[in-house]
Amino acid sequence: MSQKPSRRGATRQSIKATKHNWPTRPSFNIGQYLRQHQGTLTESFMRLVNYPLATVMTVMVIAIALSLPGGLYVVLKNVQSVTDNWEQQSVITLYLFPQVDDTKALALSHRLSARADVASVDYVSKEEGLRYFERSSGYEQVLSSLPENPLPIVLKVVPKEAVNLQSLSDLQTLRDQLAAQSGVEYAELDAQWLQRLANILSFGQRFVYALSILLVVAVLLIVGNTIRMAVESRRDEVLVMKLVGATDSYIRRPFLYMGFWFGILGGFFATVCILLLSWWVSAPAERLIELYHGGFQLQTFNAGEIVLCLTISSLIGTLGAWIAVNRHITHIELQ
């Protein structure tokens, strides 16, 4: 009598044998992964080449938008270079109280001359100040009719440090210290022109930053709109890829590389425009600056700044593409 087959479930041995027959997950191949990205990068570039007119128009709009803040940055860079090397001797003028006599004023002058940060002190008495004022104003008869000399004793302190944008704060600190001396009514630093220049440069830097942010947003919108149109033109292709099970990251990849190419090409042509413009204006700018300051050479983008410009432009293009394609691919679904 034959035995009936057992109806019990699978044994441990059968389960163990079945596990050995399951397909193993393929290991990650970095070489194949890089070749896929290289192929997608080349394919996205050839798609741009196949539409030269639209590509050139988009790239040039991006280049113009990026060249504006880049050009203003070069202008501020040259102005900063001129002012950094533009040194001249500054004078801190101390006006003493009217009741301070010559003995106390001379003692104060000697104390200030002994300071390590003071080069010299010029003593101007009341009589010398009155004579200078008479010569410069032309009111000799009016001033001679005054009952007493109204001018105070003046000390002209020459600091050892020349005035420029870097030393301006130190000279202002020295002026405050001298103004706190006994007998000094008012201290004046003849560097108001430099303070105005520093404020203008600070305003210019903030203006460049604000303009750069606005133009970066404009580039994001340009790239995003271009990528959106590219996604719509390849809608059927995206549907087929979703039908065969392609992931969103795989579908997104060629559009991201397209945004990368828009960004880096726009940054390249923006850099070329800035370099050509700097070369064009270098000769008249140097002749103009030589009238005020010798030995000036116009500066433009260096190698590090060129690499930084291309990196930022490529990141902006990739970010704009990512925002656009991530939004529109999710709206393309299988019916």
Side-chain angles (χ1 to χ4, degrees), residues 146-202:
L146 294 176
E148 60 180 7
N149 187 354
L151 299 181
I153 298 175
V154 176
L155 300 180
K156 294 185 177 181
V157 180
V158 179
K160 286 187 177 181
E161 190 172 9
V163 59
N164 52 34
L165 287 179
Q166 283 72 33
S167 63
L168 181 58
S169 59
D170 296 335
L171 293 176
Q172 290 175 340
T173 302
L174 177 60
R175 179 200 60 188
D176 297 337
Q177 293 176 358
L178 297 181
Q181 296 291 324
S182 176
V184 178
E185 182 178 12
Y186 178 71
E188 181 181 11
L189 175 63
D190 60 345
Q192 294 182 355
W193 62 274
L194 195 59
Q195 295 175 355
R196 297 189 187 100
L197 180 60
N199 292 331
I200 292 174
L201 288 177
S202 177

Side-chain angles (χ1 to χ4, degrees), residues 280-319:
W280 185 49
V281 303
S282 60
E286 289 177 3
R287 287 195 298 267
L288 176 63
I289 297 298
E290 284 178 358
L291 299 176
Y292 302 94
H293 181 276
F296 172 77
Q297 186 176 3
L298 189 68
Q299 300 183 23
T300 184
F301 277 170
N302 53 37
E305 291 169 342
I306 292 175
V307 173
L308 180 61
C309 179
L310 295 178
T311 303
I312 293 176
S313 61
S314 61
L315 290 177
I316 293 173
T318 306
L319 178 61

Side-chain angles (χ1 to χ4, degrees), residues 91-310:
V91 177
I92 301 176
T93 305
L94 304 180
Y95 299 93
L96 306 185
F97 284 103
Q99 61 269 23
V100 176
D101 56 14
D102 291 336
T103 303
K104 295 181 180 179
L106 287 172
L108 177 60
S109 176
H110 293 318
R111 288 201 307 270
L112 297 181
S113 300
R115 290 176 61 103
D117 50 1
V118 173
S120 63
V121 178
D122 187 12
Y123 180 85
V124 181
S125 63
K126 296 182 179 181
E127 292 75 15
E128 291 176 346
L130 182 61
R131 288 194 297 268
Y132 175 79
F133 187 68
E134 289 176 350
R135 291 193 303 268
S136 60
S137 65
Y139 296 106
E140 293 87 352
Q141 296 180 355
V142 176
L143 294 174
S144 60
S145 62
L146 294 176
E148 60 180 7
N149 187 354
L151 299 181
I153 298 175
V154 176
L155 300 180
K156 294 185 177 181
V157 180
V158 179
K160 286 187 177 181
E161 190 172 9
V163 59
N164 52 34
L165 287 179
Q166 283 72 33
S167 63
L168 181 58
S169 59
D170 296 335
L171 293 176
Q172 290 175 340
T173 302
L174 177 60
R175 179 200 60 188
D176 297 337
Q177 293 176 358
L178 297 181
Q181 296 291 324
S182 176
V184 178
E185 182 178 12
Y186 178 71
E188 181 181 11
L189 175 63
D190 60 345
Q192 294 182 355
W193 62 274
L194 195 59
Q195 295 175 355
R196 297 189 187 100
L197 180 60
N199 292 331
I200 292 174
L201 288 177
S202 177
F203 169 77
Q205 289 175 352
R206 296 193 178 189
F207 178 77
V208 170
Y209 294 153
L211 183 63
S212 300
I213 292 173
L214 292 176
L215 292 176
V216 165
V217 173
V219 172
L220 287 175
L221 294 176
I222 294 170
V223 175
N225 184 65
T226 305
I227 298 301
R228 181 187 64 82
M229 296 174 62
V231 172
E232 290 296 329
S233 65
R234 299 171 61 181
R235 185 183 184 91
D236 294 338
E237 181 180 348
V238 173
L239 286 173
V240 172
M241 286 191 291
K242 285 195 171 186
L243 182 63
V244 298
T247 61
D248 287 345
S249 61
Y250 180 84
I251 300 173
R252 191 188 302 121
R253 188 181 302 166
F255 299 105
L256 294 181
Y257 278 122
M258 188 179 297
F260 166 81
W261 283 118
F262 278 128
I264 198 168
L265 290 175
F268 172 77
F269 284 105
T271 304
V272 171
C273 291
I274 293 173
L275 293 176
L276 290 176
L277 184 61
S278 301
W279 170 79
W280 185 49
V281 303
S282 60
E286 289 177 3
R287 287 195 298 267
L288 176 63
I289 297 298
E290 284 178 358
L291 299 176
Y292 302 94
H293 181 276
F296 172 77
Q297 186 176 3
L298 189 68
Q299 300 183 23
T300 184
F301 277 170
N302 53 37
E305 291 169 342
I306 292 175
V307 173
L308 180 61
C309 179
L310 295 178

